[in-house]
Structure formats: C-alpha cells, structure tokens
C-alpha cells in the first residue's frame, strides 16, 4: 500500500513539475515568436514614437541600467553594513529579535507601498522631483530587506573556527570581520544581492508612483563629460523611463504592432534578468568550488 | 625551573554551570605541559583561559587570576589583543583561512601593520621552516591553503601562529583530527619548538602526553586532580583517580 502511494505521489509530483515548465515554456515561446523578429539594433537605439514601426526602447533600457546601478549603489553598502552590524555586533536580545522580524516582514511588503514611501520622502520631501535618483533610491528601499536577509545568511555560514583563528593571532574584531569574515562571505552576499537586483529591475508599480515617464525621447545627461573632471552627476536629476513601464505602455495600446513591440521589449528585459541571474549562479559556483570548510 | 603561568583560584562558569573549580597551578616555561582528562573535564576551557579566548562566548564568566610575566592577564590595564598575540593558539580542527598559503601566514603580520613586502616574505619563509612545512609548500605559496592535506593544514596553522612571534603556544588537541604519520611529524616539531617556546597542549591521547611532555596536569570534572612531572604521573601517581585514568580503568 505504501509503495503504491509512493508511486502515485511520484507521478503526481512529476506532472506538477512538468505543468510549471510547460506553462513557462509556452509563455516564453509565445513572446519570442511575436517579438524576436522585432529585436534589432534599430529597436535598441530608437526613442519611442507614435508609429509602432519606428518606436524603440533606447530611453527605456538605458533608464533600466541607470536604475539598476543606482539601486545597487544605495542598497548594497547599506544592506551589507546593516547585516554585518546585526550579525556580528548587535547583542542578541528582544530588540534585535524585533528588528529581525520586522526586516523579514518588510521583505514581504507589496512594492507599491515602497513607491508611496519614495514619493513621500524622495520626490516631495527631499524635492528630488521625478528623477532617476528618486527612482533608484525607492527601489533601493524595496530591495534593502532582501539584501540584509541574504547577507546575514551568508555571514552566518562562515564558521566560528575562522573567527577564532583570526582572534587568536591578535586581530581586533573589525580586522577579523573586514579581512576574514566579509571576504569569505562576499560571494554569498553578492549572489543574494544580485537576485534582489534582478527583482528590482522588473518592478513597475513603485516607479510609476514616483513619476517615471512613459514617453521619453531623450537620454539622461551622460555621466561622462569632455572637460575636467570628466564625470558629472547631472543625469541623476533627469526624468526617466524603464523597460517594464515602456512594455506596460505598449501593451495597453490597441494596435497590434505595439503588442509586437512589447513582446520585443520583454525579450530584452528577460535577457537582462537572465544575465544577472547567470552572474549570481556563476559566483555561487565559484564560491562552492573555491571554499571548502 | 622558571614559571610561565601562575594560575590562582581560577573558577570558570558558563552561564549557571561551573566548568572549572578553584584551579591553582604553575606552568613552567620552555617546556611542553600536557593537559589530560576525560571529555568534558574542562581541559579546553582551561587552555582557552590562558589567552582569553573564552571571552568570545557571551555566557563566559570567571573568578581568580592568571599571572603571566608578573601581570594578571585579566586585569583591566591589559590589552586582550596583546595577550592573544603573545600567547598563540592552534586548534583541534585545522582552520586555515580560505586564502593562499602565503596569505595565511602573512595575515598576522598585516594586522600588526607590517607592510614591507621583503620583511613579510622573510617572516613567512622563516615561520614555514620552523613549522617544518616549507619544503612541501615553497613552490605553491600562492595556492589555496584548503588544498593541503589535514596534517599539512595543521602545520600551516602552527606556522601562522609562530609568524607573530608569540612566547607561548597553546594547542587544543592538535593531532586528534589527523592521521598517525602526520601526528608523528607534529610531535617531532613540538619537541623542536619546546626549546624556544612554552607549550601547553590538551590531548586525549595519553601515549602522546607521555611521549612529548615534560609536565602533565590531570583534570577531572572541572578540578585539577594532579600536576607533576610527566614520568611521575605515568609511573607513580599520587592520586588514586589519576592512576585509574592512566591505567585505563575509565575515561
């Protein structure tokens, strides 16, 4: 009897797995059949247009890259620092327990709430207007809990024996953390952070709330300039759009040609996410190969 | 015989549980002192008191004093970092850093702020030679320390401890996780190091204590039962409990 149940469960499990894969496969196939012919150099380097055939995603993908970089720039240092404090320095008491529970809860808060928070703090109160900076900081808030949680997880996997070895040589706590614990945990921290980032670049709702545009026919000011000091931050304050918003905009139009544009945009977005996940997998793999405790 | 450590009325608690009970002992310098006793008798706890490693546990609490070089290492004026640098430690399980062989040994120097490449090279080579592992690793200093065998890793850990020029070496069952041939090499090494360092070693292996130590301390349930010349402990112990243990009647 137990054996029959076992077999039944195995078969059911197999078909459930298959179901998930088939649905995903069908979706991707459908998108690729619609969109792939449309993906071209022109499509990547054209601004949006009223005519579907001339429209492209230049502003959108550049905006996505900007936002991704800014989100990482804000979320990564803050998240890793917070995780290091909580894991290595904070005393374990009811307050840290409370903080821990709240961070876990924050990771589950709907993204649109973060959009409202960004609108209130960055756009209105800090007066950043509908800028890339406001968008990047809002998404940084969104991924921060996930970065903190995965960084803590990575720090926790570093065995006590490594810390002891460092202390026994006369290292201070900070030297131990900086020179031994963080470098050993870094691949794990990066893996978690990149996965959080790839979630962020698919977000639409919070960016619509902080005022990302749906029709942008210019690029943000380039951060590189011809004169000294060759770098500038003016682009940070420019309005922007991102891929998911561009896609959303096209999908909501009645013309079939725009639906094809949307499919092509989805392919590009999928590729960016895919590359980011690939980097995370690569890092994890290297981590496991290089470090055996 | 000069005294390295003078332990006075040492009591140690982990939370509510008392791990060591009124230990009084004088550990001679430039000799190997072995600490033997059954599991859970407080051997490792005692060893970890000697370089203040126990303090890393939040539930640790102690009373009494440990005098090293005429100073109580637990007094407020003493810098714990300085204590740990001067009193090095090697652990039960080899625990090299997940870095290159060279970086493992150089780390202790870097944290002291030594930056000169030539100086570091010199000490790394010297330490690896002292730990009798130089010939095996000199061609692959940049390789990962984790690729070495267990016995090699343990000698690397000894080299790492020696690099910061400690005066004392504490070893917590240094050969319990490695094979007999590697164990023999480490014992040979300890006999060599004994000439210049005070060595205190916890061991589970009574033959090992008899082979290499000059002094032996026998611990039982958090108490120091007997401390004497190793030969005396193994041939003519004063306490009945020591005799029971070394003759294998229990433990």
């Amino acid at each position: 009897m137990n054996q029959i149940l076992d077999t039944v469960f195995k078969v059911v499990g197999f078909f459930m797995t298959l179901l998930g894969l088939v649905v995903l496969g069908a979706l991707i196939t459908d998108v690729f059949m619609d969109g792939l012919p449309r993906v071209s150099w022109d499509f990547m380097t054209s601004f949006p247009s009223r005519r579907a055939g001339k429209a492209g995603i230049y502003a959108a993908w550049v905006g996505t890259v900007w936002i991704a970089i800014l989100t990482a720039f804000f979320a990564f240092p803050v998240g890793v620092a917070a995780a290091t404090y909580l894991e290595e320095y904070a005393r374990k008491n009811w307050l840290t327990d409370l903080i821990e529970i709240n961070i876990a809860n924050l990771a589950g808060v709907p993204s649109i709430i973060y959009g409202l928070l960004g609108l209130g703090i960055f756009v209105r109160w800090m007066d950043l207007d509908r800028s890339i900076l406001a968008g990047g900081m809002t998404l940084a808030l969104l991924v921060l809990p996930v970065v903190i949680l995965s960084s803590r997880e990575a720090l926790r996997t570093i065995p006590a024996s490594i810390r002891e070895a460092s202390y026994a040589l006369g290292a201070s706590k900070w030297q131990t953390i900086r020179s031994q614990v963080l470098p050993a945990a870094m691949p794990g921290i990066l893996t978690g952070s990149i996965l959080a980032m790839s979630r962020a670049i698919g977000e639409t709702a919070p960016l619509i709330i902080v005022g990302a545009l749906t029709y942008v026919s210019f690029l943000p000011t380039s951060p590189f300039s011809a004169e000294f000091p060759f770098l500038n931050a003016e682009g940070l304050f420019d309005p922007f759009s991102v891929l998911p918003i561009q896609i959303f905009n096209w999908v909501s139009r009645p013309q079939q040609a725009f639906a094809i544009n949307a499919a092509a945009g989805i392919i590009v977005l999928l590729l960016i996410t895919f590359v980011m996940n690939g980097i995370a997998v690569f890092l994890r793999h290297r981590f496991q190969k290089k470090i055996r405790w | 015989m000069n005294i390295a450590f003078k332990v006075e009325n040492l009591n140690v608690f982990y939370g509510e549980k008392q791990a060591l009970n009124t230990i009084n002992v004088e550990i001679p310098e430039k000799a190997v002192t072995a600490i033997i006793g059954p599991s859970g008798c407080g051997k490792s706890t005692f060893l970890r008191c000697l370089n203040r490693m126990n303090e890393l546990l939040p539930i640790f609490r102690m009373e009494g004093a440990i005098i090293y070089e005429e100073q109580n290492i637990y007094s407020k004026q003493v810098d714990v970092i300085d204590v740990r640098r001067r009193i090095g430690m090697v652990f039960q399980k080899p625990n090299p850093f997940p870095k290159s062989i060279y970086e493992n040994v150089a780390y202790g120097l870097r944290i002291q702020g030594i930056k000169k490449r030539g100086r570091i090279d010199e000490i790394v080579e010297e330490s690896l030679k002292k730990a009798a592992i130089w010939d095996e690793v000199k061609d692959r200093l940049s390789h990962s320390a984790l690729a070495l065998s267990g016995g090699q890793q343990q000698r690397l850990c000894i080299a790492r401890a020696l690099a910061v020029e400690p005066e004392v070496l504490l070893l917590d069952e240094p050969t319990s996780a490695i094979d007999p041939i590697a164990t023999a090499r480490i014992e040979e090494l300890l006999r060599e190091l004994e000439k210049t360092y005070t060595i205190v070693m916890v061991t589970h292996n009574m033959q090992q204590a008899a082979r290499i130590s000059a002094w032996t301390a026998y611990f039982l349930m958090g108490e120091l039962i007997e401390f004497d010349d190793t030969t005396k402990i193994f041939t003519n112990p004063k306490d009945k409990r020591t005799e029971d243990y070394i003759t294998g009647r229990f433990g």
Side-chain angles (χ1 to χ4, degrees), chain A residues 115-140:
Chain A
L116 288 170
L117 189 64
L119 178 70
I121 297 178
F122 303 131
V123 178
R124 300 260 164 82
W125 187 67
M126 287 173 71
D127 209 12
L128 291 173
D129 215 6
R130 331 167 120 203
S131 60
I132 299 183
L133 190 59
M137 279 157 70
T138 305
L139 286 190

Side-chain angles (χ1 to χ4, degrees), chain A residues 91 160-173 175-180 183-184 290-293, chain B residues 48 51 53 56 81 84-85 87-89 91 93 95-99 104 107-108 111-112 144 146 160-161 164:
Chain A
R91 282 173 182 278
S161 65
I162 294 300
R163 297 162 213 256
E164 283 189 334
S166 176
Y167 287 128
L169 291 167
S172 66
K173 187 159 192 168
Q175 283 172 327
T176 300
I177 291 170
R178 202 194 71 91
S179 309
Q180 301 298 344
K290 219 170 93 186
I291 299 177
R292 272 162 293 151
W293 303 112
Chain B
R48 284 161 171 262
N51 68 340
M53 282 299 280
L56 299 173
I81 284 169
R84 295 201 187 121
R85 193 199 58 71
I87 305 171
M89 190 165 207
F91 298 84
K93 214 177 134 222
N95 56 353
F97 299 125
K99 297 189 169 187
N104 260 276
Y107 175 65
I111 55 176
Q112 286 180 39
S144 168
L146 297 167
R160 179 175 70 186
V164 296

Side-chain angles (χ1 to χ4, degrees), chain A residues 193-255:
Chain A
S193 304
I194 292 170
L195 291 178
M197 293 294 306
S198 55
R199 180 191 159 196
I201 63 165
E203 284 295 343
T204 321
L207 291 180
I208 289 181
I209 292 193
V210 297
L213 305 177
T214 48
Y215 191 99
V216 181
S217 53
F218 52 86
L219 289 184
T221 315
S222 165
F224 309 105
S225 40
E227 294 112 53
F228 189 79
F230 307 113
L231 289 172
N232 69 75
E234 283 161 40
L236 291 179
F237 303 98
D238 290 336
F240 68 103
S241 184
V242 289
L243 273 171
I245 291 177
Q246 185 66 67
I247 293 164
F248 174 71
N249 173 259
W250 278 336
V251 171
S252 54
R253 297 210 189 179
Q255 298 96 321

Side-chain angles (χ1 to χ4, degrees), chain A residues 29 36-37 50 104 129 174 200 256:
Chain A
T29 315
L36 202 55
R50 268 177 298 136
D129 215 6
W174 169 237
Q256 174 61 22

Side-chain angles (χ1 to χ4, degrees), chain A residues 22-33:
Chain A
V22 166
V23 171
L24 189 68
L27 276 171
I28 290 179
T29 315
D30 186 50
V31 165
F32 270 73
M33 285 192 9

